[in-house]
Every structure is written in structure tokens, then in C-alpha cells.
Amino acid sequence: MTQEQRSLEFQKQWADLANQNKKAYSRVAAQRELLVRWANRDIDAALHAMLNQPWDGGSHSDQDLELALSDILGKELAEQEARVLESVEAGEFGILGGSLVRKAVLIALARESPESIIDRIGSLGERDVAAALSAISLSSYQDFRRLFDGLSARSSIPVEALLDGLDRSDPFNRSLSAMTAGALNRNEMLSLISSERPEVSRLLIESLAMHSHWHSDELPLIDAESLPPEFKTTYQESFERVTKEK
């Protein structure tokens, strides 16, 4: 059977599954199994099916879809990274689809080997850095010092510049706060808080609050009064929030 014939056969099986009178969970399981087999034969076609056709395992947001892609086809995406990214660059999945697939590849790689993403952060395009960091945060990676050193070394850009402009209300930036808290000690954070960039200061204050709370059993809590006046209220609010969330 030729590659084209195999692809047509998978497409037929995919369409048939949608019409089978099965309970939803059974149909989803069958769809997931088919997608994995399909991806091993023709990963582009399997990705097209997930991106463009209705299925029971589909989702309503881009974030959910990129997680579904990496969850179902994670092993295949990691193993066929170069092939998939070549298709992305060629516009095979369109602008939005390509962005989702690229993020899914990074998530898959971060799950397989977070170090491989950290080691290449210096060579990633600007649009991929945030995606890579978010992927690493989803992988339960714990070597924050290596991560932060990798960020700091990126194209010789200072840490302050890397963190500049981040919105603390964004879940990704909250996860970056946690990474920063794990990577830096208090003195390092206190020295960086004096940055002229208010966005960086807010992120680091959040990190400082996390660090203080996490290490409260071994280190004295930071007295907000010891901080510059303009940061006292922000720190107190951050520490209260972190304490409640823990």
C-alpha cells in the first residue's frame, strides 16, 4: 500500500469513527489510538485532522488544543520534531494552526527533556521563547537555576530585559514568577527589584513573596518595611495572595 493509499485509509477510518454509535469516552479512546497510528505514518495528515475536523476530543480554546496535540501526539511530535517544524515553516497548517503545532512541539519536547529546550533557548526565535518557558513550566521542571541561567545568557540580554513587559495577571507570568523564586536567592531578587522597569519589579516582588513563603520554616519572613516605600504595598498584597494560594 502506498503512502497516499494509507493516508486515505486513515481518513476513512477517522470519518467512520465520527458516525459510530459509541459512547463518547469509547469513541475518544478510539480516536486517540487512531491518531497515534496515523501520526506514525503521516504526522502532517494526523495534525490536519486534529486541527481542522470536529472530533470528540476536540476543545474550544487554542490553549486546550495545543495541550491536546502534545498530550495525544507528544511522543510522535518529539521524535519527528524537525519534520513537523519544517511543515510549520512551509505554511502547511496555516498561521494559527502552525502556531498551535509549534507550541505543541515545544510542550512535547519539554516533557521529554526540559534540558533540551533550556539549552536551545539562546537560539529560539523571539516568538518561541515564551512558548518554551510555558512548556517548561508545564513539565514540573525543578532545576530553576539552570533555567534562569539559560534565560540570563540568552543573546547577552540582561535578566531585566527578558522579564520586561510581562503581565502578572497572565497565568504564564505567574509560573515565571515561581521559576524566578526558585532560581534566585533573596539578595539577588532584592537587588533586581531596584530595576527602573516597573514590570520587572512587580514580577520580582511576586517572586520574592513566593520565596519568603516557601522558605518561611528556615528563613525569617521579609519585613515589608525593609523594602523601598514604593514596593511595600505591592509586596504585602503579593505575600497575602501567595499565602492563600499555597
Side-chain angles (χ1 to χ4, degrees):
M1 185 180 293
T2 66
Q3 178 75 5
E4 184 178 359
Q5 289 173 324
R6 288 194 186 97
S7 187
L8 289 173
E9 178 59 28
F10 279 119
Q11 289 176 15
K12 182 179 183 302
Q13 291 179 43
W14 180 258
D16 289 344
L17 276 173
N19 299 318
Q20 288 181 10
N21 185 23
K22 291 183 175 182
K23 291 185 177 180
Y25 68 86
S26 296
R27 190 161 49 244
V28 169
Q31 288 170 330
R32 291 171 68 101
E33 188 272 335
L34 176 61
L35 285 166
V36 171
R37 288 193 291 113
W38 197 351
N40 282 317
R41 294 287 188 176
D42 186 349
I43 195 166
D44 283 5
L47 289 168
H48 271 298
M50 293 186 72
L51 289 168
N52 301 323
Q53 301 176 30
W55 57 294
D56 293 295
S59 47
H60 301 291
S61 74
D62 293 345
Q63 184 179 29
D64 287 343
L65 183 52
E66 65 199 17
L67 289 174
L69 288 168
S70 60
D71 179 41
I72 296 172
L73 299 181
K75 182 173 180 291
E76 291 70 26
L77 288 171
E79 290 177 350
Q80 302 184 57
E81 172 200 0
R83 168 76 183 85
V84 173
L85 292 183
E86 181 181 338
S87 295
V88 169
E89 293 301 322
E92 179 72 23
F93 309 109
I95 296 176
L96 177 58
S99 176
L100 293 175
V101 171
R102 182 188 297 275
K103 175 68 177 295
V105 169
L106 290 170
I107 293 174
L109 289 171
R111 285 175 176 168
E112 293 289 321
S113 175
E115 289 83 0
S116 70
I117 297 293
I118 293 169
D119 290 343
R120 71 173 75 176
I121 273 184
S123 62
L124 288 177
E126 291 297 327
R127 62 181 174 173
D128 290 336
V129 173
L133 289 171
S134 182
I136 292 167
S137 74
L138 292 169
S139 72
S140 301
Y141 185 69
Q142 295 298 317
D143 190 349
F144 299 115
R145 168 57 66 180
R146 179 171 177 175
L147 170 63
F148 209 76
D149 286 348
L151 286 172
S152 301
R154 176 181 164 77
S155 302
S156 300
I157 300 175
V159 173
E160 297 96 318
L162 285 168
L163 303 180
D164 191 17
L166 292 175
D167 177 6
R168 206 223 66 82
S169 65
D170 187 295
F172 159 68
N173 294 329
R174 290 201 295 275
S175 69
L176 187 54
S177 296
M179 291 180 184
T180 306
L184 301 179
N185 62 42
R186 289 184 179 186
N187 289 335
E188 289 172 313
M189 278 184 272
L190 285 168
S191 66
L192 286 173
I193 281 175
S194 299
S195 165
E196 295 179 1
R197 298 181 177 90
E199 300 88 350
V200 177
S201 297
R202 287 202 306 273
L203 183 72
L204 290 166
I205 287 172
E206 177 87 6
S207 301
L208 189 63
M210 288 183 178
H211 188 278
S212 188
H213 180 56
W214 291 349
H215 298 281
S216 59
D217 292 340
E218 53 194 88
L219 296 171
L221 293 176
I222 291 175
D223 182 3
E225 294 302 315
S226 66
L227 297 173
E230 63 270 30
F231 299 139
K232 291 179 181 178
T233 301
T234 303
Y235 174 80
Q236 288 172 329
E237 292 175 349
S238 295
F239 187 78
E240 290 174 5
R241 180 171 56 253
V242 169
T243 303
K244 291 177 181 178
E245 291 175 352
K246 181 72 173 177

